[in-house]
């Protein structure tokens, strides 16, 4: 039986400063995407949570093609099955 997975990644997205708000809104509208921070210079800190590696690749590609995005760089990626991620950890 295949176990469900969760893929989590963080990205730094560079946008043209004048398109920053529109880019942030477009990213935030994507399923599993969150914009955590932005700067007036056009940088955004983004996380993605998706069920598969293919979905991750598609989301990153979608972000890279948003009007005003100059680059989207994957900083971190983690994948594990949901059963493992949802296990309770006993207090030490």
């Amino acid at each position: 039986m295949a176990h469900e997975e969760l893929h989590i990644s963080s990205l730094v997205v560079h946008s043209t400063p004048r398109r920053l708000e529109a880019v942030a809104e477009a990213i935030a509208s994507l399923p599993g995407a969150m914009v955590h921070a932005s700067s007036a210079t056009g940088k955004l800190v983004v996380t993605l949570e998706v069920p598969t590696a293919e979905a991750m690749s598609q989301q990153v590609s979608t972000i890279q093609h948003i009007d005003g995005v100059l680059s989207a760089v994957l900083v971190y990626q983690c994948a594990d099955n949901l059963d493992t991620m949802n296990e309770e950890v006993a207090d030490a």
Side-chain angles (χ1 to χ4, degrees):
M1 178 174 137
H3 295 281
E4 287 186 76
E5 291 184 336
L6 179 63
H7 294 252
I8 302 169
S9 69
S10 63
L11 299 93
V12 173
V13 178
H14 290 243
S15 164
T16 57
R18 67 179 179 76
R19 298 280 303 147
L20 180 66
E21 190 174 322
V23 168
E25 288 174 7
I27 292 170
S29 74
L30 296 173
M34 286 187 73
V35 176
H36 296 276
S38 64
S39 73
T41 61
K43 293 180 185 174
L44 300 125
V45 175
V46 176
T47 57
L48 299 174
E49 293 184 10
V50 296
T52 66
E54 181 180 335
M56 182 64 68
S57 179
Q58 289 173 350
Q59 287 286 59
V60 172
S61 179
T62 296
I63 290 169
Q64 290 172 329
H65 289 92
I66 293 171
D67 185 35
V69 170
L70 302 172
S71 68
V73 179
L74 190 65
V75 175
Y76 175 81
Q77 183 172 359
C78 168
D80 208 339
N81 82 43
L82 280 175
D83 293 336
T84 301
M85 291 183 110
N86 288 321
E87 282 180 11
E88 241 181 88
V89 178
D91 291 337

